[in-house]
Amino acid sequence: MGELQKQDLKTDKRPYNFKKRSCPLSIDGAPKVDYKNIKLLKRFISEKGKILPSRITNVSTKKQRELSRAVKRARFLALLPYVNN
Amino acid sequence: MSLYELVFIARQEVSPVRAKELAKKVNDFIKTKGGKIKKEEYWGFKNLAYQIKKSRKGHYIFFILDTTEKTVLELKTQIKLTQDIIRHMFLKIKEKDFDKNPSEMMKDDRDKD
């Protein structure tokens, strides 16, 4: 993926931003988004325990909705903190 | 007969034996009502992310049940009555979401990173 983009850049006069990186959860190998899978959820919440916006984690809207539902369920079951000070 | 996920947390003062007993009570309750237990797991005595009813730790017990909605409601009232269970959650899940192998929580326990 990386090399491909560099070649595109060479041919182009002004550098445009890289191809939109694919959503880490939508590739077929990705684990299922579930409130039990805290290791996966932990990657998408900030240190303070807030859900990271999809513009930063580059997650597709469908997966972002599933993610937020799973995080909220995990928080209810005290698997994830509401606030992590 | 649809699939339901049930997770409940037993207080820390409760001994693991008592927690298993609670799980068995749910088991019998479902069996008498003609339902089936698809999966039953004990996630262990874990630290809670925040304090619930003055307890910092709790026994996590997880079920996947195959019952009618009526029995789920009855079970919910039963759970609400038991003092030892401080939090519970029912989820209705689709058939295709049900997977045989143990849930991630069990795997986490094995590789303690």
Side-chain angles (χ1 to χ4, degrees):
Chain A
M1 266 296 271
E3 297 71 29
L4 194 68
Q5 280 144 18
K6 280 200 188 65
Q7 258 118 28
D8 299 355
L9 270 182
K10 263 198 218 83
T11 52
D12 212 327
K13 309 255 175 339
R14 33 167 189 72
Y16 60 90
N17 58 8
F18 287 112
K19 204 152 44 68
K20 212 166 88 52
R21 275 175 304 147
S22 67
C23 158
L25 291 177
S26 302
I27 39 178
D28 44 19
K32 209 161 72 66
V33 177
D34 195 8
Y35 68 95
K36 301 189 277 294
N37 192 348
I38 337 168
K39 213 179 279 181
L40 175 81
L41 297 185
K42 274 216 163 63
R43 286 195 352 234
F44 294 97
I45 57 172
S46 73
E47 300 77 34
K48 282 281 189 198
K50 300 163 79 161
I51 302 173
L52 291 173
S54 64
R55 58 181 164 77
I56 290 180
T57 53
N58 234 293
V59 171
S60 69
T61 335
K62 185 168 181 288
K63 287 294 172 191
Q64 179 73 12
R65 281 198 304 270
E66 275 172 38
L67 208 60
S68 80
R69 207 172 296 128
V71 166
K72 284 167 187 167
R73 282 182 182 154
R75 284 177 179 161
F76 175 72
L77 286 174
L79 298 169
L80 286 180
Y82 279 97
V83 144
N84 208 350
N85 31 27
Chain B
M1 296 292 261
S2 34
L3 281 182
Y4 291 91
E5 250 180 35
L6 158 64
V7 184
F8 63 84
I9 310 174
R11 258 174 339 120
Q12 62 188 18
E13 288 82 20
V14 152
S15 68
V17 171
R18 174 85 176 96
K20 295 267 168 48
E21 225 176 83
L22 284 175
K24 220 179 86 43
K25 221 185 273 181
V26 169
N27 240 333
D28 304 341
F29 182 85
I30 292 294
K31 290 235 170 45
T32 47
K33 299 284 175 180
K36 273 204 315 295
I37 308 278
K38 280 277 182 89
K39 193 195 280 189
E40 182 189 345
E41 278 169 8
Y42 175 64
W43 287 347
F45 188 55
K46 293 169 78 78
N47 283 322
L48 301 182
Y50 50 87
Q51 220 180 3
I52 304 176
K53 288 205 173 80
K54 302 289 178 300
S55 39
R56 278 242 170 268
K57 288 167 156 282
H59 301 272
Y60 279 81
I61 292 154
F62 171 75
F63 279 95
I64 295 191
L65 316 167
D66 185 358
T67 52
T68 61
E69 198 233 342
K70 202 163 62 60
T71 36
V72 168
L73 290 179
E74 277 157 31
L75 183 57
K76 187 188 267 276
T77 43
Q78 289 289 334
I79 286 180
K80 276 196 181 134
L81 291 176
T82 44
Q83 298 286 339
D84 288 342
I85 296 180
I86 47 175
R87 186 149 294 188
H88 66 281
M89 182 167 89
F90 276 97
L91 278 184
K92 191 170 195 300
I93 55 171
K94 295 193 187 63
E95 200 62 43
K96 61 179 174 54
D97 292 343
F98 170 67
D99 59 346
K100 285 278 171 296
N101 39 42
S103 62
E104 283 69 24
M105 294 301 284
M106 302 304 273
K107 280 193 215 105
D108 284 358
D109 294 355
R110 261 191 290 282
D111 44 54
K112 255 286 168 275
D113 43 18

